Amino acid sequence: MAIFIKVLTKIDIERTLSLPDSCLQAAPQLQRSHGGEKLQVKDDVGILWNFHCTIRSGVFPKLDIVSGWIQFVRFKQLNTGDAIVLYKDDDTLTGPHYKIEVLKGHGDDYSSFAQMYIKSCYAS
């Protein structure tokens, strides 16, 4: 199940990735580690990425990926306008697993990207 879709901005590429509070609700069992939370995700080729996160409090709480993200960006050669999709799969034996998918070159228009992505999901 996709829990987050985002067309990447310059800040996402150069600094950090902020996920909305809906991701906090979808990932309440993040593993506590020294200095923050740990989110493990697998990419499309099976590489396990360890993202270290902080939870920004306030009116609109967010999950900020503060470590591991820039390495992912460089490895995947992400650019502004590329998109990521974060998935959560629940397994009754091993618990939840998170996956990340990269979609290259969709431009900065989130609404047209989202419509195209949703159509492609239902077409298969």
Side-chain angles (χ1 to χ4, degrees), residues 89-106:
D89 290 330
D90 287 314
D91 186 305
T92 55
L93 295 176
T94 59
H97 298 276
Y98 298 93
K99 296 178 184 176
I100 191 166
E101 179 181 3
V102 171
L103 303 168
K104 300 289 273 178
H106 289 281

Side-chain angles (χ1 to χ4, degrees), residues 47-74:
I47 297 173
L48 185 64
W49 295 89
N50 291 302
F51 296 139
H52 293 279
C53 310
T54 59
I55 298 174
R56 191 180 345 156
S57 60
V59 177
F60 301 105
K62 292 185 182 253
L63 183 68
D64 290 336
I65 298 176
V66 295
S67 177
W69 172 248
I70 295 302
Q71 292 83 355
F72 180 81
V73 167
R74 289 182 183 142

Side-chain angles (χ1 to χ4, degrees), residues 76-93:
K76 295 293 186 177
Q77 299 178 349
L78 299 179
N79 297 299
T80 301
D82 292 342
I84 61 160
V85 183
L86 185 65
Y87 297 94
K88 178 182 175 186
D89 290 330
D90 287 314
D91 186 305
T92 55
L93 295 176

Side-chain angles (χ1 to χ4, degrees), residues 15-61:
R15 295 186 192 168
T16 187
L17 180 68
S18 292
L19 306 177
D21 64 341
S22 61
C23 289
L24 287 172
Q25 296 164 4
Q29 67 287 348
L30 288 174
Q31 298 175 352
R32 279 262 179 222
S33 65
H34 192 270
E37 310 285 334
K38 184 168 82 171
L39 176 64
Q40 292 186 323
V41 298
K42 254 187 201 177
D43 68 11
D44 57 334
V45 294
I47 297 173
L48 185 64
W49 295 89
N50 291 302
F51 296 139
H52 293 279
C53 310
T54 59
I55 298 174
R56 191 180 345 156
S57 60
V59 177
F60 301 105

